[in-house]
Amino acid sequence: MVVLYLISMSDNSVISVRDLCVERDTILLQNISWTVKPREHWVVMGPNGCGKTSLFGAITGYLAPTSGTITVLGQEYGRYDWRELRKKIGIVSSALINLMEHGQNALEVVAGGKHAMLTAWQLSNRDLLNAEVLMNRLGLLHLAQRPWMRLSQGEKQQILIARALMSDPAVLLLDEPCTGLDPVARLRFLDFLFGLIHDIDAPSVIMATHHVEEIYSGFSHILLLREGQVVAFGPLEQCLTSLCLSRTFGVEVEILRQNGTGSSIMEMFRLHVKGS
């Protein structure tokens, strides 16, 4: 497999992965080396089973490496308390939706992110006030008093992002956040995400997705995976190409560029499978 490394590896990083291998009954990740620097926003893309979720699991300390190293803000897993390192990484996954206590409102769900709590019974007034300030900054204050169970799927994803930001993480991982959203909800969610990554106080955002049309302006870099290995990584304009995506998905494809239809969509991409 041809691998294109289009950015330099540097110790000045938010996340640094070196020669990472993860094996269980099979090889999940093989020889992954990758660096995320401050203020970079990344897309991680590849077909089903390519290793996106395994990579996120390793970065958050839930999936132990077989070999290789992972550092977060210069601190290496295994040489530093992984529970402390995990606090520096916010993660949003659709799996979290079903873990929230149904009786909470959106404000309480966000506030619980400060202490990684799933229930509201130990929240202080300061926690709730800080959550309110954050929701106002993100344009979500109108949802604050709405019961969790009355939120739409897209609204729940936005609230989970706010919840992850309560701990002031250095990086925010979004594991296929648009899964299960209808087309309108997906556009609204991506508009929200567009605003987040242009916020000067936002952490580095890393989003795993299958879909090129979810890559909005503001994402600066992309990591392409296939069968647990890196195909290419680097600046978006250099790696989001027909050649790289053809290698990633194992079929000849073409990237089509078109003007966006909304104020927050600077450029949209569509994937065309040749011969179809």
Side-chain angles (χ1 to χ4, degrees), residues 149-196:
M149 293 304 294
R150 288 184 54 196
L151 297 173
S152 70
Q153 186 85 352
E155 290 169 341
K156 287 179 179 177
Q157 292 286 49
Q158 293 177 45
I159 292 301
L160 289 178
I161 287 179
R163 172 185 169 83
L165 294 177
M166 276 293 292
S167 61
D168 194 26
V171 62
L172 179 64
L173 305 182
L174 306 180
D175 191 3
E176 299 183 18
C178 294
T179 298
L181 301 186
D182 63 51
V184 173
R186 184 173 73 164
L187 283 175
R188 288 174 176 168
F189 175 80
L190 291 173
D191 280 345
F192 168 79
L193 185 58
F194 173 90
L196 174 66

Side-chain angles (χ1 to χ4, degrees), residues 99-191:
L99 297 179
M100 296 298 112
E101 185 182 69
H102 293 179
Q104 299 178 92
N105 61 30
L107 179 65
E108 291 167 334
V109 170
V110 172
K114 179 65 176 180
H115 310 288
M117 296 188 306
L118 298 178
T119 61
W121 68 276
Q122 286 185 318
L123 294 175
S124 68
N125 289 334
R126 179 177 292 275
D127 292 331
L128 293 170
L129 178 60
N130 290 339
E132 190 173 280
V133 170
L134 175 60
M135 292 182 73
N136 184 55
R137 190 187 107 205
L138 296 176
L140 298 175
L141 194 57
H142 64 289
L143 299 176
Q145 299 304 318
R146 190 172 300 177
W148 173 252
M149 293 304 294
R150 288 184 54 196
L151 297 173
S152 70
Q153 186 85 352
E155 290 169 341
K156 287 179 179 177
Q157 292 286 49
Q158 293 177 45
I159 292 301
L160 289 178
I161 287 179
R163 172 185 169 83
L165 294 177
M166 276 293 292
S167 61
D168 194 26
V171 62
L172 179 64
L173 305 182
L174 306 180
D175 191 3
E176 299 183 18
C178 294
T179 298
L181 301 186
D182 63 51
V184 173
R186 184 173 73 164
L187 283 175
R188 288 174 176 168
F189 175 80
L190 291 173
D191 280 345

Side-chain angles (χ1 to χ4, degrees), residues 9-263:
M9 309 295 276
S10 170
D11 290 335
N12 178 28
S13 60
V14 177
I15 290 177
S16 179
V17 178
R18 294 288 186 275
D19 301 319
L20 176 66
C21 295
V22 177
E23 297 183 21
R24 293 302 183 261
D25 294 333
T26 186
I27 296 176
L28 301 177
L29 297 171
Q30 185 173 3
N31 298 325
I32 304 292
S33 292
W34 173 48
T35 297
V36 177
K37 298 179 182 179
R39 303 300 303 162
E40 291 180 348
H41 301 298
W42 284 75
V43 173
V44 179
M45 179 176 287
N48 287 330
C50 70
K52 298 187 296 293
T53 298
S54 296
L55 179 60
F56 278 17
I59 290 173
T60 52
Y62 289 104
L63 187 63
T66 303
S67 61
T69 62
I70 300 172
T71 62
V72 178
L73 298 178
Q75 302 292 337
E76 183 181 331
Y77 280 117
R79 298 186 179 181
Y80 191 80
D81 189 341
W82 62 269
R83 292 166 297 183
E84 291 301 315
L85 286 181
R86 187 181 289 170
K87 293 177 182 178
K88 300 174 183 178
I89 303 173
I91 185 164
V92 174
S93 168
S94 57
L96 291 174
I97 289 177
N98 295 326
L99 297 179
M100 296 298 112
E101 185 182 69
H102 293 179
Q104 299 178 92
N105 61 30
L107 179 65
E108 291 167 334
V109 170
V110 172
K114 179 65 176 180
H115 310 288
M117 296 188 306
L118 298 178
T119 61
W121 68 276
Q122 286 185 318
L123 294 175
S124 68
N125 289 334
R126 179 177 292 275
D127 292 331
L128 293 170
L129 178 60
N130 290 339
E132 190 173 280
V133 170
L134 175 60
M135 292 182 73
N136 184 55
R137 190 187 107 205
L138 296 176
L140 298 175
L141 194 57
H142 64 289
L143 299 176
Q145 299 304 318
R146 190 172 300 177
W148 173 252
M149 293 304 294
R150 288 184 54 196
L151 297 173
S152 70
Q153 186 85 352
E155 290 169 341
K156 287 179 179 177
Q157 292 286 49
Q158 293 177 45
I159 292 301
L160 289 178
I161 287 179
R163 172 185 169 83
L165 294 177
M166 276 293 292
S167 61
D168 194 26
V171 62
L172 179 64
L173 305 182
L174 306 180
D175 191 3
E176 299 183 18
C178 294
T179 298
L181 301 186
D182 63 51
V184 173
R186 184 173 73 164
L187 283 175
R188 288 174 176 168
F189 175 80
L190 291 173
D191 280 345
F192 168 79
L193 185 58
F194 173 90
L196 174 66
I197 62 181
H198 284 82
D199 187 328
I200 193 171
D201 294 321
S204 294
V205 175
I206 304 174
M207 181 180 72
T209 181
H210 293 106
H211 305 289
V212 292
E213 64 270 21
E214 293 176 3
I215 304 174
Y216 274 28
S217 171
F219 283 104
S220 57
H221 293 73
I222 190 167
L223 168 67
L224 297 171
L225 298 175
R226 178 175 173 80
E227 297 179 347
Q229 299 181 64
V230 173
V231 175
F233 73 89
L236 201 66
E237 65 272 14
Q238 297 180 35
C239 289
L240 190 60
T241 66
S242 299
L243 175 61
C244 287
L245 286 181
S246 295
R247 291 172 174 168
T248 299
F249 289 97
V251 62
E252 191 174 4
V253 299
E254 180 181 8
I255 287 288
L256 304 177
R257 301 170 186 260
Q258 61 182 16
N259 292 328
T261 57
S263 61

